[in-house]
Amino acid sequence: MKLLKNIILIFAMTLSIGATPVSASMKPTSLTSSPSTVNNTISSFIPLNSFTQNKASILLQVNSGLKFNSLGFAQMNTRVLISNDSNYVKIKMQLQRFKSNKWSTITTGTHTGKGLTGYSWKYYVSKGYKYRVKNNIYLYKSKNGKLLDQDTCYSNIKKR
């Protein structure tokens, strides 16, 4: 029941950051239960810039978004869903710019939280470049405990 509540919460947060839905033909990997036991509308709205792992891991899903406002600020959002709310998640978020045929990090932020974790912040960016958000996700048993899992994901690439 706790997992279902977390999935619904992630779904609601994903919609609030303006994630793009995928077509029904793109079938996401099962979280831990079959689609018949989880409302099918949830799996229909997993954003393009997320990943779901189907291993015996506690790091279940990461959603990452990037958008620009009219003043030139990049708004970066990351949400992490884990299977055990007592574990800690560290998000290292890097805003990257594509320039001279390579990606380079222009700023970095870090957030650590317990259980379902999200991180959001803004940074001013120049026009004429492509940008993306790189997320390094680390999952720990306790606040300063053993590393249980880690992964990297990227947002969609956007041009300003």
Side-chain angles (χ1 to χ4, degrees), residues 114-155:
K114 185 176 182 179
L116 178 66
T117 302
Y119 186 38
S120 178
W121 54 292
K122 294 179 183 178
Y123 188 84
Y124 181 79
V125 294
S126 302
K127 276 188 174 181
Y129 296 100
K130 292 179 184 177
Y131 296 90
R132 72 179 182 187
V133 177
K134 177 181 178 182
N135 293 287
N136 297 100
I137 310 297
Y138 305 94
L139 184 66
Y140 296 95
K141 179 76 175 160
S142 59
K143 192 166 187 173
N144 296 311
K146 177 184 173 189
L147 179 65
L148 300 173
D149 201 358
Q150 67 182 56
D151 219 321
T152 300
C153 76
Y154 297 86
S155 71

Short mmCIF file of all heavy atoms in Angstrom, two decimals, residues 114-155:
data_model
loop_
_atom_site.label_atom_id
_atom_site.label_comp_id
_atom_site.label_asym_id
_atom_site.label_seq_id
_atom_site.Cartn_x
_atom_site.Cartn_y
_atom_site.Cartn_z
N LYS A 114 15.32 11.81 3.02
CA LYS A 114 14.91 10.48 3.44
C LYS A 114 13.64 10.09 2.70
O LYS A 114 12.71 10.89 2.59
CB LYS A 114 14.66 10.46 4.95
CG LYS A 114 14.35 9.10 5.51
CD LYS A 114 14.23 9.16 7.01
CE LYS A 114 13.95 7.78 7.58
NZ LYS A 114 13.85 7.80 9.03
N GLY A 115 13.59 8.86 2.18
CA GLY A 115 12.40 8.36 1.51
C GLY A 115 12.19 9.02 0.15
O GLY A 115 13.15 9.32 -0.56
N LEU A 116 10.94 9.26 -0.19
CA LEU A 116 10.58 9.92 -1.45
C LEU A 116 11.23 11.30 -1.45
O LEU A 116 11.00 12.10 -0.55
CB LEU A 116 9.07 10.05 -1.55
CG LEU A 116 8.51 10.76 -2.75
CD1 LEU A 116 8.80 9.96 -4.02
CD2 LEU A 116 7.02 10.97 -2.60
N THR A 117 12.08 11.58 -2.43
CA THR A 117 12.88 12.79 -2.41
C THR A 117 12.76 13.56 -3.72
O THR A 117 12.73 12.97 -4.79
CB THR A 117 14.37 12.43 -2.17
OG1 THR A 117 14.46 11.71 -0.94
CG2 THR A 117 15.24 13.66 -2.09
N GLY A 118 12.71 14.87 -3.60
CA GLY A 118 12.69 15.74 -4.77
C GLY A 118 13.64 16.90 -4.58
O GLY A 118 13.97 17.27 -3.46
N TYR A 119 14.07 17.45 -5.69
CA TYR A 119 14.99 18.59 -5.66
C TYR A 119 14.67 19.48 -6.84
O TYR A 119 14.48 19.00 -7.96
CB TYR A 119 16.43 18.07 -5.74
CG TYR A 119 17.52 19.11 -5.57
CD1 TYR A 119 17.39 20.15 -4.68
CD2 TYR A 119 18.69 19.03 -6.31
CE1 TYR A 119 18.40 21.09 -4.52
CE2 TYR A 119 19.71 19.96 -6.16
CZ TYR A 119 19.56 20.98 -5.26
OH TYR A 119 20.56 21.91 -5.11
N SER A 120 14.62 20.78 -6.61
CA SER A 120 14.27 21.73 -7.66
C SER A 120 15.03 23.03 -7.43
O SER A 120 15.16 23.47 -6.29
CB SER A 120 12.76 21.98 -7.61
OG SER A 120 12.38 22.92 -8.57
N TRP A 121 15.53 23.63 -8.49
CA TRP A 121 16.18 24.92 -8.37
C TRP A 121 16.28 25.60 -9.73
O TRP A 121 16.03 24.99 -10.76
CB TRP A 121 17.51 24.86 -7.66
CG TRP A 121 18.53 23.90 -8.20
CD1 TRP A 121 18.47 22.55 -8.18
CD2 TRP A 121 19.76 24.21 -8.84
NE1 TRP A 121 19.59 22.01 -8.74
CE2 TRP A 121 20.40 23.00 -9.16
CE3 TRP A 121 20.40 25.39 -9.17
CZ2 TRP A 121 21.63 22.95 -9.80
CZ3 TRP A 121 21.64 25.33 -9.80
CH2 TRP A 121 22.23 24.12 -10.11
N LYS A 122 16.65 26.88 -9.71
CA LYS A 122 16.75 27.70 -10.93
C LYS A 122 18.17 28.22 -11.10
O LYS A 122 18.87 28.47 -10.12
CB LYS A 122 15.80 28.89 -10.86
CG LYS A 122 14.36 28.54 -10.85
CD LYS A 122 13.52 29.80 -10.76
CE LYS A 122 12.05 29.45 -10.67
NZ LYS A 122 11.22 30.65 -10.53
N TYR A 123 18.53 28.45 -12.38
CA TYR A 123 19.84 29.01 -12.69
C TYR A 123 19.73 29.75 -14.01
O TYR A 123 19.15 29.23 -14.98
CB TYR A 123 20.89 27.89 -12.78
CG TYR A 123 22.30 28.38 -12.92
CD1 TYR A 123 23.03 28.74 -11.79
CD2 TYR A 123 22.90 28.50 -14.16
CE1 TYR A 123 24.33 29.21 -11.91
CE2 TYR A 123 24.21 28.96 -14.28
CZ TYR A 123 24.92 29.31 -13.15
OH TYR A 123 26.20 29.77 -13.26
N TYR A 124 20.27 30.96 -14.09
CA TYR A 124 20.20 31.75 -15.33
C TYR A 124 21.12 31.15 -16.40
O TYR A 124 22.27 30.81 -16.11
CB TYR A 124 20.59 33.21 -15.09
CG TYR A 124 20.49 34.03 -16.35
CD1 TYR A 124 19.26 34.49 -16.80
CD2 TYR A 124 21.62 34.31 -17.11
CE1 TYR A 124 19.16 35.21 -17.98
CE2 TYR A 124 21.53 35.03 -18.28
CZ TYR A 124 20.30 35.47 -18.71
OH TYR A 124 20.20 36.18 -19.88
N VAL A 125 20.61 31.04 -17.64
CA VAL A 125 21.39 30.48 -18.74
C VAL A 125 21.33 31.41 -19.95
O VAL A 125 20.39 32.17 -20.13
CB VAL A 125 20.90 29.07 -19.15
CG1 VAL A 125 21.14 28.08 -18.03
CG2 VAL A 125 19.43 29.08 -19.54
N SER A 126 22.36 31.33 -20.79
CA SER A 126 22.45 32.16 -22.00
C SER A 126 21.65 31.56 -23.14
O SER A 126 21.50 30.34 -23.24
CB SER A 126 23.92 32.28 -22.44
OG SER A 126 24.69 32.82 -21.41
N LYS A 127 21.19 32.42 -24.04
CA LYS A 127 20.47 31.96 -25.24
C LYS A 127 21.44 31.35 -26.24
O LYS A 127 22.63 31.64 -26.23
CB LYS A 127 19.77 33.15 -25.92
CG LYS A 127 18.44 33.48 -25.36
CD LYS A 127 17.76 34.52 -26.24
CE LYS A 127 16.35 34.76 -25.77
NZ LYS A 127 15.65 35.72 -26.60
N GLY A 128 20.87 30.50 -27.12
CA GLY A 128 21.64 29.97 -28.24
C GLY A 128 22.35 28.66 -27.98
O GLY A 128 23.09 28.17 -28.83
N TYR A 129 22.14 28.07 -26.81
CA TYR A 129 22.81 26.81 -26.48
C TYR A 129 21.78 25.74 -26.14
O TYR A 129 20.65 26.04 -25.76
CB TYR A 129 23.76 26.97 -25.28
CG TYR A 129 24.90 27.90 -25.54
CD1 TYR A 129 24.87 29.21 -25.08
CD2 TYR A 129 26.02 27.47 -26.25
CE1 TYR A 129 25.93 30.07 -25.31
CE2 TYR A 129 27.08 28.32 -26.48
CZ TYR A 129 27.03 29.62 -26.02
OH TYR A 129 28.08 30.46 -26.26
N LYS A 130 22.22 24.49 -26.22
CA LYS A 130 21.43 23.36 -25.76
C LYS A 130 21.84 23.04 -24.33
O LYS A 130 23.02 23.12 -23.98
CB LYS A 130 21.66 22.13 -26.65
CG LYS A 130 21.12 22.29 -28.04
CD LYS A 130 21.42 21.05 -28.86
CE LYS A 130 20.97 21.25 -30.30
NZ LYS A 130 21.31 20.08 -31.13
N TYR A 131 20.84 22.65 -23.52
CA TYR A 131 21.07 22.34 -22.12
C TYR A 131 20.42 21.01 -21.75
O TYR A 131 19.46 20.58 -22.39
CB TYR A 131 20.50 23.44 -21.21
CG TYR A 131 21.18 24.77 -21.38
CD1 TYR A 131 20.71 25.71 -22.30
CD2 TYR A 131 22.29 25.10 -20.62
CE1 TYR A 131 21.34 26.94 -22.47
CE2 TYR A 131 22.91 26.33 -20.76
CZ TYR A 131 22.44 27.24 -21.70
OH TYR A 131 23.06 28.45 -21.86
N ARG A 132 20.95 20.39 -20.69
CA ARG A 132 20.35 19.19 -20.11
C ARG A 132 20.72 19.14 -18.64
O ARG A 132 21.64 19.84 -18.18
CB ARG A 132 20.82 17.92 -20.82
CG ARG A 132 22.27 17.56 -20.52
CD ARG A 132 22.68 16.29 -21.22
NE ARG A 132 24.07 15.95 -20.89
CZ ARG A 132 24.75 14.97 -21.46
NH1 ARG A 132 24.19 14.22 -22.40
NH2 ARG A 132 26.00 14.73 -21.09
N VAL A 133 20.00 18.30 -17.90
CA VAL A 133 20.31 18.09 -16.49
C VAL A 133 20.82 16.66 -16.35
O VAL A 133 20.20 15.71 -16.82
CB VAL A 133 19.06 18.28 -15.61
CG1 VAL A 133 19.38 17.98 -14.15
CG2 VAL A 133 18.53 19.70 -15.75
N LYS A 134 21.98 16.53 -15.72
CA LYS A 134 22.55 15.22 -15.41
C LYS A 134 22.34 14.98 -13.92
O LYS A 134 22.68 15.84 -13.10
CB LYS A 134 24.04 15.18 -15.74
CG LYS A 134 24.71 13.87 -15.36
CD LYS A 134 26.20 13.90 -15.68
CE LYS A 134 26.88 12.60 -15.27
NZ LYS A 134 28.34 12.64 -15.52
N ASN A 135 21.77 13.84 -13.57
CA ASN A 135 21.51 13.49 -12.18
C ASN A 135 22.29 12.25 -11.80
O ASN A 135 22.15 11.21 -12.44
CB ASN A 135 20.02 13.21 -11.96
CG ASN A 135 19.19 14.44 -12.13
OD1 ASN A 135 19.19 15.31 -11.28
ND2 ASN A 135 18.46 14.51 -13.23
N ASN A 136 23.10 12.36 -10.77
CA ASN A 136 23.72 11.20 -10.16
C ASN A 136 22.91 10.92 -8.90
O ASN A 136 22.80 11.79 -8.03
CB ASN A 136 25.18 11.46 -9.79
CG ASN A 136 26.02 11.75 -11.02
OD1 ASN A 136 26.30 12.90 -11.33
ND2 ASN A 136 26.40 10.70 -11.72
N ILE A 137 22.34 9.73 -8.82
CA ILE A 137 21.47 9.35 -7.71
C ILE A 137 22.19 8.30 -6.88
O ILE A 137 22.66 7.30 -7.41
CB ILE A 137 20.13 8.78 -8.21
CG1 ILE A 137 19.49 9.70 -9.26
CG2 ILE A 137 19.19 8.49 -7.06
CD1 ILE A 137 19.12 11.07 -8.78
N TYR A 138 22.26 8.53 -5.57
CA TYR A 138 22.90 7.60 -4.64
C TYR A 138 21.88 7.21 -3.58
O TYR A 138 21.21 8.09 -3.02
CB TYR A 138 24.11 8.24 -3.98
CG TYR A 138 25.11 8.78 -4.97
CD1 TYR A 138 25.07 10.11 -5.37
CD2 TYR A 138 26.09 7.95 -5.52
CE1 TYR A 138 25.98 10.61 -6.30
CE2 TYR A 138 27.00 8.44 -6.44
CZ TYR A 138 26.94 9.77 -6.83
OH TYR A 138 27.84 10.25 -7.74
N LEU A 139 21.79 5.93 -3.29
CA LEU A 139 20.86 5.44 -2.28
C LEU A 139 21.64 4.82 -1.13
O LEU A 139 22.50 3.95 -1.35
CB LEU A 139 19.94 4.39 -2.91
CG LEU A 139 18.85 3.85 -2.02
CD1 LEU A 139 17.84 4.95 -1.69
CD2 LEU A 139 18.14 2.71 -2.71
N TYR A 140 21.37 5.31 0.09
CA TYR A 140 22.11 4.88 1.28
C TYR A 140 21.17 4.21 2.28
O TYR A 140 19.99 4.58 2.39
CB TYR A 140 22.78 6.07 1.95
CG TYR A 140 23.84 6.72 1.10
CD1 TYR A 140 23.55 7.83 0.32
CD2 TYR A 140 25.14 6.21 1.08
CE1 TYR A 140 24.53 8.43 -0.47
CE2 TYR A 140 26.12 6.81 0.30
CZ TYR A 140 25.81 7.92 -0.47
OH TYR A 140 26.77 8.50 -1.25
N LYS A 141 21.70 3.27 3.05
CA LYS A 141 20.95 2.56 4.09
C LYS A 141 20.50 3.53 5.18
O LYS A 141 19.38 3.46 5.68
CB LYS A 141 21.81 1.44 4.69
CG LYS A 141 21.17 0.66 5.78
CD LYS A 141 20.16 -0.31 5.24
CE LYS A 141 19.61 -1.18 6.38
NZ LYS A 141 18.36 -1.77 6.03
N SER A 142 21.38 4.45 5.57
CA SER A 142 21.08 5.45 6.58
C SER A 142 21.77 6.75 6.17
O SER A 142 22.45 6.80 5.15
CB SER A 142 21.57 4.99 7.96
OG SER A 142 22.95 4.76 7.94
N LYS A 143 21.62 7.81 6.97
CA LYS A 143 22.13 9.12 6.59
C LYS A 143 23.61 9.11 6.22
O LYS A 143 24.00 9.70 5.24
CB LYS A 143 21.87 10.14 7.70
CG LYS A 143 22.12 11.55 7.26
CD LYS A 143 21.54 12.54 8.21
CE LYS A 143 21.67 13.93 7.62
NZ LYS A 143 20.98 14.92 8.41
N ASN A 144 24.44 8.48 6.98
CA ASN A 144 25.87 8.37 6.67
C ASN A 144 26.27 6.90 6.51
O ASN A 144 27.40 6.53 6.79
CB ASN A 144 26.71 9.03 7.76
CG ASN A 144 26.46 10.52 7.83
OD1 ASN A 144 26.49 11.20 6.81
ND2 ASN A 144 26.17 11.02 9.02
N GLY A 145 25.31 6.10 6.04
CA GLY A 145 25.51 4.65 6.00
C GLY A 145 26.03 4.11 4.68
O GLY A 145 26.56 4.83 3.83
N LYS A 146 25.85 2.82 4.52
CA LYS A 146 26.34 2.05 3.39
C LYS A 146 25.61 2.43 2.10
O LYS A 146 24.39 2.58 2.08
CB LYS A 146 26.14 0.56 3.69
CG LYS A 146 26.55 -0.36 2.57
CD LYS A 146 26.22 -1.81 2.93
CE LYS A 146 26.47 -2.68 1.72
NZ LYS A 146 26.00 -4.04 1.92
N LEU A 147 26.38 2.56 1.01
CA LEU A 147 25.80 2.81 -0.31
C LEU A 147 25.13 1.54 -0.79
O LEU A 147 25.76 0.48 -0.90
CB LEU A 147 26.90 3.24 -1.30
CG LEU A 147 26.45 3.52 -2.74
CD1 LEU A 147 25.52 4.73 -2.78
CD2 LEU A 147 27.66 3.74 -3.63
N LEU A 148 23.82 1.62 -1.10
CA LEU A 148 23.05 0.45 -1.54
C LEU A 148 22.90 0.38 -3.05
O LEU A 148 22.85 -0.70 -3.63
CB LEU A 148 21.66 0.48 -0.91
CG LEU A 148 21.59 0.45 0.60
CD1 LEU A 148 20.16 0.65 1.07
CD2 LEU A 148 22.15 -0.86 1.12
N ASP A 149 22.79 1.53 -3.71
CA ASP A 149 22.54 1.57 -5.14
C ASP A 149 22.90 2.96 -5.66
O ASP A 149 22.93 3.92 -4.90
CB ASP A 149 21.06 1.29 -5.41
CG ASP A 149 20.76 0.83 -6.83
OD1 ASP A 149 21.70 0.75 -7.64
OD2 ASP A 149 19.59 0.52 -7.11
N GLN A 150 23.19 3.04 -6.94
CA GLN A 150 23.45 4.33 -7.57
C GLN A 150 23.13 4.23 -9.04
O GLN A 150 23.15 3.16 -9.63
CB GLN A 150 24.88 4.78 -7.35
CG GLN A 150 25.93 3.94 -8.05
CD GLN A 150 27.32 4.43 -7.73
OE1 GLN A 150 27.71 4.54 -6.57
NE2 GLN A 150 28.09 4.73 -8.75
N ASP A 151 22.82 5.38 -9.63
CA ASP A 151 22.54 5.43 -11.06
C ASP A 151 22.67 6.87 -11.55
O ASP A 151 22.74 7.80 -10.75
CB ASP A 151 21.14 4.90 -11.37
CG ASP A 151 21.12 4.07 -12.65
OD1 ASP A 151 21.81 4.45 -13.61
OD2 ASP A 151 20.43 3.04 -12.67
N THR A 152 22.68 7.02 -12.86
CA THR A 152 22.76 8.33 -13.50
C THR A 152 21.65 8.43 -14.52
O THR A 152 21.38 7.46 -15.24
CB THR A 152 24.12 8.51 -14.20
OG1 THR A 152 25.16 8.38 -13.22
CG2 THR A 152 24.23 9.86 -14.87
N CYS A 153 20.98 9.57 -14.57
CA CYS A 153 19.97 9.80 -15.62
C CYS A 153 20.08 11.24 -16.08
O CYS A 153 20.66 12.09 -15.42
CB CYS A 153 18.57 9.47 -15.13
SG CYS A 153 17.85 10.68 -14.03
N TYR A 154 19.53 11.48 -17.26
CA TYR A 154 19.57 12.80 -17.90
C TYR A 154 18.16 13.27 -18.23
O TYR A 154 17.29 12.47 -18.53
CB TYR A 154 20.38 12.74 -19.20
CG TYR A 154 21.81 12.36 -19.01
CD1 TYR A 154 22.20 11.02 -18.95
CD2 TYR A 154 22.79 13.33 -18.87
CE1 TYR A 154 23.52 10.67 -18.76
CE2 TYR A 154 24.13 12.97 -18.68
CZ TYR A 154 24.48 11.64 -18.63
OH TYR A 154 25.79 11.29 -18.45
N SER A 155 17.97 14.58 -18.19
CA SER A 155 16.70 15.14 -18.65
C SER A 155 16.71 15.17 -20.17
O SER A 155 17.73 14.86 -20.80
CB SER A 155 16.54 16.57 -18.12
OG SER A 155 17.46 17.44 -18.79
#
